[in-house]
């Protein structure tokens, strides 16, 4: 299959390209200009120049491809700043709208996979959250729901929308959290006895690749849910601190930027596993999650 990866140099894009190539696919990476070509080539993908926010430019880049994985995000370094998230919202909102418009111009693209997040679920307590569980998009999580709606309008194509759990690994975001923990910052948002769904970036990338074989629909992507205290303990060990500090749930609920992370979300990924055979290679948080790759 000829696959275009948008976001090929990102935390999900790099391992996705590696897995696609290993599976025998022809893989291209979208490069916004010629200067980005070497970075795309370093992943193993062929760079194709195109503008994510221009349907005309993007359509030209998509010609010659059977499928597109949109894994593009722009996660800010300062995650507590609302304005810092504007770039990520723009990528999801304008990028997904342009992608949908571009795909309509390219008949040969039959499969679209769009990234998204599982933080959009309402607090579920101890209940397993399947794809039909109630949503409560708020603040910076709302753009994920809109992005899914934008691509879902492509009713004549196979459109797979992913709700991915918290990425925890050797990536820059996790490294920043661990560094902050060494300075006394909390690693747990909310109650230690609430549930959280995390996943190693390599496993999330494998899910995105597996999604090429899934029917249209929404699919959760996460390792088996664990108690927040369990994930916090694993992250504390990786940070080299004695115990993970927790920000009380009542306080997190009053912080608009943090509130979604304070919910109890026991997300179930059984639908994607049943549809594609995908499984997490790292099902439980431990030292191997934080090892440099």
């Amino acid at each position: 299959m000829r696959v275009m990866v948008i976001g090929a140099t990102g935390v999900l894009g790099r391992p996705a390209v590696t897995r696609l190539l290993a599976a025998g696919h022809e893989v291209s990476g979208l490069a916004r200009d010629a200067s980005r070509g070497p970075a795309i080539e370093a992943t193993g993908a062929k760079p194709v120049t195109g503008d994510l926010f221009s349907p005309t430019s993007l359509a030209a880049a998509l010609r010659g491809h059977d499928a597109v994985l949109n894994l593009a995000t722009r996660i800010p370094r300062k995650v507590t700043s609302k304005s810092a998230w504007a770039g990520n919202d723009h990528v999801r909102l304008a990028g997904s709208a342009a992608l949908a418009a571009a795909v309509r111009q390219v008949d040969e693209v039959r499969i679209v996979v769009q990234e998204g997040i599982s933080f959009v679920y309402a607090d579920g307590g101890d209940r397993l959250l399947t794809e039909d569980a109630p949503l409560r998009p708020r603040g910076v999580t709302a753009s994920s729901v809109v992005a899914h709606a934008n691509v879902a309008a492509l009713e004549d194509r196979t459109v797979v929308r992913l709700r991915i759990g918290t990425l925890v690994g050797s990536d820059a975001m996790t490294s920043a959290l661990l560094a902050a923990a060494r300075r006394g910052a909390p690693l747990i948002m909310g109650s230690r006895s609430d549930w959280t769904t995390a996943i190693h970036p390599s496993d999330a990338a494998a899910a995105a690749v597996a999604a090429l074989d899934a029917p249209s629909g929404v699919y959760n992507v996460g390792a088996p849910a664990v108690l927040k205290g369990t994930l916090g303990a694993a992250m504390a060990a990786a940070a080299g601190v004695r115990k993970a500090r927790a920000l009380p749930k009542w306080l997190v609920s009053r912080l608009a930027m943090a509130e979604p992370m304070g919910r109890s979300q026991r997300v179930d990924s059984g639908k994607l596993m049943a549809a594609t055979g995908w499984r997490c290679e790292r099902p439980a948080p431990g030292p191997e999650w934080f090892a440099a790759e």
Side-chain angles (χ1 to χ4, degrees):
M1 191 182 298
R2 301 165 299 174
V3 184
M4 165 68 76
V5 178
I6 302 176
T9 61
V11 66
L12 293 183
R14 290 191 305 273
V17 169
T18 299
R19 289 178 179 270
L20 286 165
L21 291 170
H25 297 291
E26 296 179 30
V27 186
S28 302
L30 186 71
R32 63 176 176 267
D33 54 45
S35 69
R36 294 296 297 163
I40 299 290
E41 289 177 336
T43 69
K46 174 186 175 182
V48 176
T49 302
D51 183 351
L52 175 59
F53 306 112
S54 166
T56 301
S57 174
L58 194 52
L62 287 173
R63 291 191 175 93
H65 295 88
D66 306 300
V68 55
L69 298 184
N70 186 12
L71 305 177
T73 58
R74 192 174 294 165
I75 306 301
R77 291 183 179 274
K78 192 175 181 181
V79 296
T80 56
S81 169
K82 183 177 180 180
S83 61
W85 283 93
N88 191 62
D89 286 342
H90 182 60
V91 167
R92 283 207 174 111
L93 297 172
S96 62
L99 176 60
V103 169
R104 290 188 182 95
Q105 301 176 43
V106 186
D107 289 340
E108 59 200 304
V109 175
R110 306 310 304 171
I111 302 171
V112 177
V113 177
Q114 170 69 45
E115 67 81 38
I117 52 178
S118 65
F119 317 136
V120 295
Y121 286 113
D123 192 307
D126 291 329
R127 299 188 306 277
L128 278 177
L129 301 178
T130 56
E131 288 78 2
D132 57 357
L135 302 182
R136 191 187 175 208
R138 179 179 177 182
V140 298
T141 69
S143 60
S144 175
V145 175
V146 177
H148 280 188
N150 286 342
V151 296
L154 296 165
E155 296 180 352
D156 61 336
R157 316 296 168 96
T158 297
V159 180
V160 177
R161 290 91 74 199
L162 303 178
R163 292 180 183 153
I164 304 170
T166 306
L167 297 177
V168 177
S170 59
D171 58 289
M173 176 67 76
T174 302
S175 297
L177 291 173
L178 299 182
R182 297 183 191 106
R183 300 190 296 270
L187 283 169
I188 299 171
M189 294 288 117
S191 172
R192 297 177 190 273
S193 60
D194 274 348
W195 294 90
T196 187
T197 302
I199 186 168
H200 190 273
S202 179
D203 280 326
V209 173
L212 292 169
D213 295 321
S216 288
V218 175
Y219 295 86
N220 294 331
V221 178
V226 297
L227 297 179
K228 291 187 176 184
T230 300
L231 178 60
M235 295 183 72
V241 300
R242 185 179 64 83
K243 185 177 181 180
R245 293 186 60 196
L247 203 62
K249 191 169 184 174
W250 67 265
L251 179 55
V252 178
S253 69
R254 288 163 171 74
L255 303 174
M257 295 295 297
E259 186 277 330
M261 300 301 293
R263 302 171 189 171
S264 182
Q265 294 176 328
R266 192 182 181 188
V267 178
D268 176 65
S269 302
K271 180 180 176 183
L272 183 66
M273 291 190 284
T276 67
W278 167 79
R279 297 288 187 278
C280 278
E281 296 175 357
R282 298 173 176 88
E288 67 277 8
W289 279 33
F290 306 98
E293 293 186 290

